[in-house]
Amino acid sequence: MSLNRRHFITIVGGSAGATLAGCAGMQGPMVGAGSAGELMPLGSTRRVVVIGGGYGGTIAAKYIRMADPKTEVVLIERDDHFVSCPFSNLYVGGVLKDLSSLTIRYDKLAANHGIKVVQAEATAIDPAAHMVVTSKGRIGYTRLIVSPGVDFRLEEMAGYNEAAMERMPHAWKAGPQTLLLKRQLDSMADGGTVVMTVPLTPYRCPPGPYERANMIAFYLKRNKPKSKLIMLDANPDVTSKGPLFKKGWRDNYAANFEYRPAKKVTEVDVKGGAVLVEGLETVKGDVINVIPPQRAGRIAVAAGLVGPDKNWCPVNPNTFESTLHKDIHVIGDACIAGAMPKSGYSANSEAKICAANVVALLNGRETVEMSGINTCYSYITDKQAVSVAGVYKAQGNAIVAVPNSGGVSPADFSSTQAEAVYADSWLRNILTEMST
């Protein structure tokens, strides 16, 4: 499908808990404020515009400039800082005292690589005109990379809306929602019940909900031992690292954690403090953490980058160019990446191969074949973690796992302690790569 100038779709400004970059924001040399006019005329300039400053967008912008300094790179992001979703569960569990170690700014990234940062909201894309419309004006592009993270399919959960999020936080975009969930846990009386919901796959970070269960159970065990966590999982079983998580639950949280699979929450009762499982079962909680079903970030949906399912963006597995709109690439959680999970490390890996191939396409060179990696760490306790790793390649029109590659970490105590050290190192390194 092609859009002309009269038919490109706009969207209303972002709402509470819904950022264009998922868990991301940035700050750097700001291009001056504008109006609805053209903010940065393209002219003869060869320019790549990147929407979204999360795990994918920042890396794509950086690596394009590193590979081809003659190409101008403009990074558009609504927020003025970045808070990492990975490891934010540690704050919920009281392991981290604040979010400062997960928060970075982008002045060094912009200065070191000559990236032009526009702090604005991307409100529309006109593929025919090669133009991004922002809250500060229009920006033309030669090629566009969209890394918008996720938004929520609220229409599938009756009663759950932006107002409900202030009573039943999702905390699936790190920042104010994370702080709110932690405050609710702190305020709950000992003996209270926490209810947590998990949507059907695919969603951002397959093991993330189960790590959060660990951290909430860890918090309750240490601070409110008479309390209980009930996890309602829409999936028939744990979606990632199942045996490792289940062992962790048996070893550490048998007294205050209950896992209930195949329990799809379809409605919430904010006033009554309850969720409804397919209209048949009501589960009440003093604190309710609702993780809704998800889709690509709203700018991708509005621009017609999602496929027939109306949720995720089909792409070329080597270049990550949209199969629906030429010269637009989609990376990170929003794209359909086959066997590659929706994770921070996947977004980082996708951004690098996308950047290399965008540079190749701009310079009339052969593109390279996709070779991706992912590692995902999940905490069991404050000092124990487990991990899963994978290696991926393009095969036909899909991304598949390389046979006999990857796997999960050992389950013994000393190994899980070592994995926690590796996890901390991974976070420090990847955030440094994004910010310098």
Side-chain angles (χ1 to χ4, degrees):
M1 177 180 70
S2 296
L3 299 182
N4 58 37
R5 296 187 193 210
R6 291 190 298 171
H7 295 99
F8 74 90
I9 304 172
T10 60
I11 58 174
V12 178
S15 55
T19 68
L20 283 176
C23 295
M26 66 182 50
Q27 175 174 301
M30 296 300 168
V31 177
S35 61
E38 193 161 1
L39 181 62
M40 300 175 66
L42 183 60
S44 60
T45 304
R46 189 170 68 185
R47 177 188 295 158
V48 176
V49 173
V50 181
I51 298 175
Y55 274 93
T58 54
I59 295 300
K62 174 178 179 176
Y63 275 75
I64 288 171
R65 285 291 295 173
M66 290 172 64
D68 187 2
K70 293 182 180 180
T71 294
E72 182 183 66
V73 175
V74 177
L75 187 55
I76 303 171
E77 167 57 48
R78 187 182 74 176
D79 295 330
D80 66 354
H81 64 283
F82 170 91
V83 183
S84 172
C85 280
F87 290 57
S88 62
N89 287 330
L90 295 182
Y91 173 76
V92 174
V95 179
L96 296 179
K97 299 306 178 186
D98 54 45
L99 297 177
S100 61
S101 63
L102 308 181
T103 304
I104 58 176
R105 297 185 182 275
Y106 283 77
D107 51 326
K108 291 182 181 179
L109 176 71
N112 289 347
H113 301 284
I115 298 167
K116 296 181 179 179
V117 178
V118 178
Q119 188 183 334
E121 183 162 17
T123 57
I125 299 168
D126 184 347
H130 278 57
M131 192 76 66
V132 177
V133 181
T134 80
S135 56
K136 291 184 177 178
R138 294 178 288 122
I139 302 174
Y141 63 84
T142 310
R143 284 189 176 267
L144 172 65
I145 298 175
V146 182
S147 186
V150 298
D151 265 301
F152 301 127
R153 307 200 309 264
L154 298 182
E155 69 277 7
E156 297 181 17
M157 189 172 287
Y160 197 69
N161 51 32
E162 291 166 13
M165 292 175 189
E166 298 307 307
R167 297 283 299 277
M168 299 177 174
H170 56 76
W172 218 236
K173 298 181 180 184
Q177 281 272 304
T178 316
L179 300 175
L180 176 59
L181 178 58
K182 181 61 164 60
R183 286 198 301 270
Q184 290 185 352
L185 290 172
D186 289 342
S187 299
M188 186 183 74
D190 191 8
T193 299
V194 182
V195 174
M196 180 181 170
T197 76
V198 184
L200 289 170
T201 57
Y203 56 80
R204 159 181 282 171
C205 191
Y210 311 105
E211 180 192 59
R212 178 169 292 175
N214 289 336
M215 289 297 96
I216 292 177
F218 174 81
Y219 172 86
L220 298 179
K221 181 178 179 179
R222 186 160 65 171
N223 298 282
K224 300 180 179 183
K226 297 178 183 178
S227 298
K228 182 178 183 179
L229 167 63
I230 299 173
M231 184 182 222
L232 304 174
D233 190 350
N235 301 282
D237 203 352
V238 177
T239 62
S240 177
K241 294 179 276 194
L244 293 177
F245 279 120
K246 290 177 180 179
K247 182 179 186 303
W249 297 338
R250 289 193 304 270
D251 291 350
N252 298 282
Y253 308 121
N256 60 355
F257 175 65
E258 182 181 344
Y259 174 66
R260 300 181 186 177
K263 298 290 184 179
K264 182 181 178 182
V265 172
T266 54
E267 185 176 351
V268 303
D269 177 3
V270 175
K271 187 176 180 180
V275 297
L276 282 74
V277 179
E278 297 184 301
L280 301 175
E281 178 184 358
T282 299
V283 182
K284 290 193 172 186
D286 299 285
V287 173
I288 300 179
N289 172 209
V290 174
I291 304 174
Q294 295 157 37
R295 61 164 58 97
R298 61 183 60 187
I299 186 67
V301 176
L305 293 169
V306 295
D309 67 354
K310 306 299 183 184
N311 294 325
W312 308 106
C313 304
V315 295
N316 177 294
N318 287 309
T319 64
F320 289 88
E321 185 171 8
S322 168
T323 61
L324 302 176
H325 289 302
K326 183 175 172 56
D327 299 332
I328 300 178
H329 305 253
V330 186
I331 58 175
D333 295 338
C335 77
I336 299 173
M340 254 182 130
K342 299 182 185 300
S343 74
Y345 204 173
S346 287
N348 177 288
S349 185
E350 292 163 15
K352 289 172 180 173
I353 191 69
C354 178
N357 280 325
V358 164
V359 170
L361 291 165
L362 289 171
N363 289 279
R365 299 198 299 260
E366 288 287 325
T367 58
V368 297
E369 291 186 0
M370 189 271 182
S371 177
I373 56 175
N374 176 65
T375 300
C376 186
Y377 294 94
S378 303
Y379 279 80
I380 301 296
T381 69
D382 59 334
K383 294 182 174 60
Q384 294 175 269
V386 293
S387 68
V388 61
V391 182
Y392 306 91
K393 66 178 181 178
Q395 184 171 294
N397 294 320
I399 296 174
V400 301
V402 174
N404 302 313
S405 68
V408 297
S409 58
D412 62 277
F413 184 75
S414 61
S415 294
T416 57
Q417 284 189 310
E419 290 291 321
V421 176
Y422 304 151
D424 180 69
S425 177
W426 175 87
L427 180 71
R428 292 172 186 271
N429 281 311
I430 203 165
L431 292 182
T432 298
E433 184 181 31
M434 293 166 62
S435 62
T436 58

